[in-house]
Every structure is written in structure tokens, then in C-alpha cells.
Amino acid sequence: LKPCRRAVGADCAEGAARSELHRPRRFGRAPRAAAAMDFQNRVGHKFGTMGPATDQEVAMDRRERLRKLALETIDLSKDPYFLRNHLGSYECKLCLTLHTNEGSYLAHTQGKKHQINLARRAAKEKQDQTIQPQPKTASGPKKTVKIGRPGYRVTKERDPDSQQKALLFEVEYPEADKAKPRHRFMSAYEQKIEPPESKFQYLLLACEPYETIAFKVPNMEVDKEDNKFYANWDGQRKVFTMQIFFKERGLEELPALPQRAGSTQLAFHGGGSFTR
């Protein structure tokens, strides 16, 4: 039997239609490619490496930056723990570590181990300082508020037996509590209030909280023999009494000056002499 041409044509047309459906269609431009992943701007990586940096790379970069910064700012000559040995290498006396160059040592000083040892050393030194007795430091003269000058009375006297001149001072300190008056003699060249005079000296009396007062007395030697120098503080009346006697200036003969020789005898090895 011969197949019908119409049926065969129909089958051919149906197969051509199926092949046309499975054939890829062509457009005017190429198909769009998928977008590439951006490794440069990802979070948590170093810029410019086209990928995230590892922890080891980040630590190495940090140590390098710290080393460069330390080389610019730190003076190794003032570091007490920096030591250069006889082999040409460097040591840390605090951590007992060995380094090949200065940069390695500076990177070590910025590390965790060196910083912990520094903190331990500082804590130990602070503890030792608290245990040791602190030296007593003078805080300077005590500052008190002065309330004015005390009242005083001066009496001229003379010893009836020796005819020595004397002065009697009576100074009242009614507001003095526990402090006792003090006195001292001062030369006229020590004070800066008046022009110095060699014929006078000053007697200073001081008692807190009063101002210090001075009496201008003759520049004569004070007689302290036979209880002639008297000073007393009456705590009930708050009166300070002081009596001084002056020694009379005696005329003393000066030692005789050596007389000039009228003639000098000079002898020579050759014998004989001559008169000049």
C-alpha cells in the first residue's frame, strides 16, 4: 500500500513546526551576563587586596604600623629596659627577650607581654613605696595670722655698785596661749629697714600670734656673768620681763709697733761684714 501524500505532508509539516519551537531565537545583541561578585568593598577585609585579609595579615600590618610609629616617637637611649649585647642583637631586660634589630624591639614594646610586665613592675614599685618609711619633709615656716603689736615698757637702769648701764623690758602678750616669747640679738647690718649704724644693735622679741618687735640698743657687749642677764615669762599675767646689763668699754693698750732697725749687719761667706 502506498502512503497518502497528504498524510505524509502533514507529518512533515508537524515535525518542522516542532523543530522550529526548539530552535533558539536570535536577537540583535548578545545575552546579558551575570554580575560579578565585588570582593573589594566587602565588610571586614583590607581595601585593595581584592579579598578579605586574614587575622594573621591584619596582625602583621598592625605590628608594622606600630613599629614605624615607635621609631618616630620613642628615644631608645632613654629606655631603661633596652640593652645591646656583644653579639650586635638587642634584648629586653624586662621580658628577657632577644631581638635582631631596633624595629623588632620597638614592636615588642607595643605588644601585650611587654605592657603586662610594665604594669606588674609599676604595681610592685608602688607597693614597695608604701611599705618604706617616708622621709620627713619640712613644710616651711608656719603661717599664722598676726593680730598686731604687743604693749611694752622700757626702763633705763644703772647698777648702784658697778655703775653699769642696764635696760629693763616688760612686754605684754595677753592673747598668747601656749607659745612662749623668744628673743635674739641682731646686728644692724642684718636688717633692711633702716640704714645700718655700727653704734647700735637690735633686740628682737617674738611671740605668736603677735608681730615681732625690735628694740634699738647700744652696740655693747652684754654682761651675762653673776646672773645679770635675766629673762622671765609670767604665764598668768602674760608678761615677759627681760633685763640686760652692758659692759663698759675699756681702754686697752695696743701692742707696741716694731721699731725700724737703724743699722743692719750683713755677713758674707767670704767673711767680714759691712754697715748699711
Side-chain angles (χ1 to χ4, degrees):
L1 296 176
K2 295 182 180 180
C4 181
R5 292 182 178 179
R6 185 177 296 176
V8 173
D11 294 339
C12 293
E14 185 179 357
R18 291 177 179 177
S19 61
E20 187 68 23
L21 290 175
H22 291 283
R23 183 180 301 172
R25 297 180 181 180
R26 295 183 180 180
F27 298 92
R29 57 180 181 178
R32 191 173 184 180
M37 183 176 292
D38 187 4
F39 291 96
Q40 183 173 358
N41 298 319
R42 292 180 63 184
V43 179
H45 84 287
K46 186 178 178 183
F47 183 81
T49 58
M50 296 303 294
T54 61
D55 295 339
Q56 184 178 4
E57 292 174 350
V58 173
M60 291 176 60
D61 180 71
R62 176 178 175 274
R63 286 196 298 268
E64 182 66 19
R65 286 187 286 106
L66 291 176
R67 184 184 68 84
K68 293 180 179 180
L69 179 63
L71 283 174
E72 297 176 357
T73 58
I74 298 178
D75 188 5
L76 291 178
S77 60
K78 299 180 181 179
D79 192 346
Y81 306 114
F82 179 73
L83 174 65
R84 182 173 183 177
N85 55 23
H86 64 285
L87 300 177
S89 55
Y90 305 94
E91 298 180 9
C92 177
K93 296 190 291 185
L94 180 62
C95 306
L96 302 179
T97 54
L98 187 64
H99 306 276
T100 56
N101 51 38
E102 296 180 358
S104 175
Y105 173 79
L106 291 174
H108 162 74
T109 57
Q110 306 300 322
K112 183 178 180 181
K113 181 179 181 180
H114 191 82
Q115 298 297 328
I116 292 176
N117 290 336
L118 285 176
R120 289 177 180 175
R121 177 61 64 88
K124 185 178 179 181
E125 291 179 354
K126 184 177 180 180
Q127 183 179 3
D128 295 341
Q129 290 179 358
T130 55
I131 295 176
Q132 295 178 356
Q134 299 294 333
K136 296 182 180 181
T137 57
S139 59
K142 184 179 179 181
K143 297 181 179 180
T144 56
V145 179
K146 305 297 183 181
I147 62 175
R149 297 178 182 178
Y152 60 89
R153 184 184 302 107
V154 181
T155 305
K156 294 182 179 181
E157 297 179 347
R158 185 180 291 270
D159 189 2
D161 299 333
S162 62
Q163 298 298 318
Q164 281 183 290
K165 296 179 181 179
L167 291 175
L168 178 64
F169 301 94
E170 295 178 351
V171 187
E172 298 177 357
Y173 296 102
E175 299 297 331
D177 295 332
K178 298 181 180 180
K180 294 183 179 181
R182 296 172 297 171
H183 71 278
R184 84 175 186 94
F185 290 92
M186 183 177 68
S187 173
Y189 297 95
E190 295 183 45
Q191 55 86 27
K192 305 297 181 183
I193 306 300
E194 298 179 353
E197 299 181 26
S198 60
K199 296 182 179 181
F200 297 96
Q201 61 181 342
Y202 293 88
L203 172 63
L204 274 64
L205 297 177
C207 182
E208 294 180 357
Y210 292 90
E211 296 181 3
T212 303
I213 58 176
F215 298 96
K216 194 173 183 179
V217 297
N219 189 13
M220 301 171 62
E221 184 180 357
V222 178
D223 191 0
K224 296 183 180 180
E225 298 178 358
D226 299 333
N227 298 326
K228 290 186 177 181
F229 184 82
Y230 175 77
N232 180 44
W233 165 246
D234 191 348
Q236 295 181 354
R237 297 173 52 213
K238 302 296 182 65
V239 177
F240 179 72
T241 305
M242 186 175 183
Q243 186 180 25
I244 56 176
F245 284 85
F246 297 99
K247 291 184 178 181
E248 296 291 340
R249 293 190 178 94
L251 298 178
E252 298 181 358
E253 295 183 0
L254 296 176
L257 296 176
Q259 298 180 359
R260 185 176 180 181
S263 60
T264 304
Q265 301 290 335
L266 299 178
F268 296 91
H269 293 287
S273 60
F274 69 95
T275 301
R276 183 175 61 179

